[in-house]
Every structure is written in structure tokens, then in C-alpha cells.
Amino acid sequence: MLYKHTQIGKVILFAAIGIAALYLFFLLQRAFDFSGFTSVMLIVLLILVSFISLTVTIDDSHLHIAFGLFSKKFVLKEIATAKAVKNKWYYGWGIRLKLNPTTWIFNVSGFDAVEIIMKNGKIYRIGTDEPQKLEQALQQAIK
């Protein structure tokens, strides 16, 4: 394994804890109607928990990213370039599609990312709290 790093999204983690505490508060209120509320709260918590951490791994042949229940693999031979970039604040967190140019963004926290451009022209940005290390590891792996 050439590189492995997990970034924790503290804001998302605190939001999940806050929502769980709010749910517990309502659960303790006996007069509250839980018919649809429980399902909605569980779905919201599941979504938040899925985006609490982002693990990036580079082995001999693949770049692998894992976001809770979601994961994606990139074949290293298909990556043309990798460079550290800054995301704009309004790109948000989670999995996003930015238009013009079309770019998939995978981000759990902060604004630092590494942009990879595939040989087929597709663009991806992978959020990280150590952009120089990830950029260097990717550049070594794709040579």
C-alpha cells in the first residue's frame, strides 16, 4: 500500500450527534407522535453517518475512496494528472457534481482537495486534510 489516510468530518459528526440528541429528547416526550418521525430521523442519521469519514487508499494499481456506504475505485493507469487544489466554500461537503467543467467532488470537510484528471477527460476532486501528501503519492503512483 502506497498511501492510506482517513479524514473525519467533525462538523458532520457533531451534526449527527446533535440530531441523535434531538431525537432522544423527542423520544422522551410522551405526547409526541412518532409515526413518520422515527423513519425520517433514522434516514437522516444514516445519511450523515455515511459522510462522517473519507478514506483514501492508493495501492499498486488503484486509487480507492470510501465514504461510509459509498466507495469508488480509479485505475492508476487511467489517471493523467493529479494536483492539489482549493474548493470554493459553496461546493459543499459530501458527493457533489459541479458543472462547467463537469467535476465530481468527494469531500468530507474543509476546502483542500486533490484534483485528478483522467485520460478520458473526466475530472474528480478528492477532499483531504493533507493535500500535498496525497498529491505526491498520486504523482508517484501514476508514473
Side-chain angles (χ1 to χ4, degrees):
M1 188 162 328
L2 304 173
Y3 178 88
K4 183 173 183 176
H5 178 67
T6 300
Q7 181 182 8
I8 304 294
K10 293 178 182 126
V11 172
I12 297 173
L13 176 63
F14 290 133
I17 291 169
I19 288 173
L22 182 65
Y23 176 69
L24 183 60
F25 172 77
F26 285 129
L27 189 61
L28 297 174
Q29 304 298 315
R30 296 181 192 266
F32 192 76
D33 177 24
F34 288 99
S35 56
F37 185 72
T38 299
S39 300
V40 171
M41 285 302 253
L42 290 176
I43 290 169
V44 168
L45 282 173
L46 179 65
I47 291 168
L48 283 174
V49 167
S50 293
F51 292 100
I52 284 178
S53 69
L54 174 63
T55 300
V56 179
T57 307
I58 302 172
D59 61 25
D60 293 331
S61 59
H62 290 89
L63 163 65
H64 184 262
I65 57 174
F67 237 144
L69 302 174
F70 175 82
S71 67
K72 182 157 180 65
K73 276 187 179 180
F74 302 91
V75 177
L76 292 174
K77 291 179 183 177
E78 295 176 8
I79 298 174
T81 64
K83 68 176 179 175
V85 295
K86 285 269 192 200
N87 287 329
K88 297 196 183 331
W89 66 269
Y90 54 84
Y91 289 179
W93 296 326
I95 301 170
R96 306 284 185 182
L97 177 62
K98 179 181 94 58
L99 301 174
N100 201 17
T102 302
T103 305
W104 280 100
I105 301 171
F106 305 91
N107 193 15
V108 74
S109 181
F111 306 111
D112 291 316
V114 172
E115 181 176 88
I116 59 172
I117 300 176
M118 307 301 288
K119 290 181 179 174
N120 65 7
K122 291 183 179 179
I123 304 170
Y124 300 90
R125 285 190 175 194
I126 302 166
T128 181
D129 56 353
E130 48 180 47
Q132 282 71 31
K133 286 184 182 179
L134 178 55
E135 175 187 24
Q136 184 179 16
L138 271 170
Q139 287 178 349
Q140 283 182 333
I142 63 177
K143 286 185 180 180

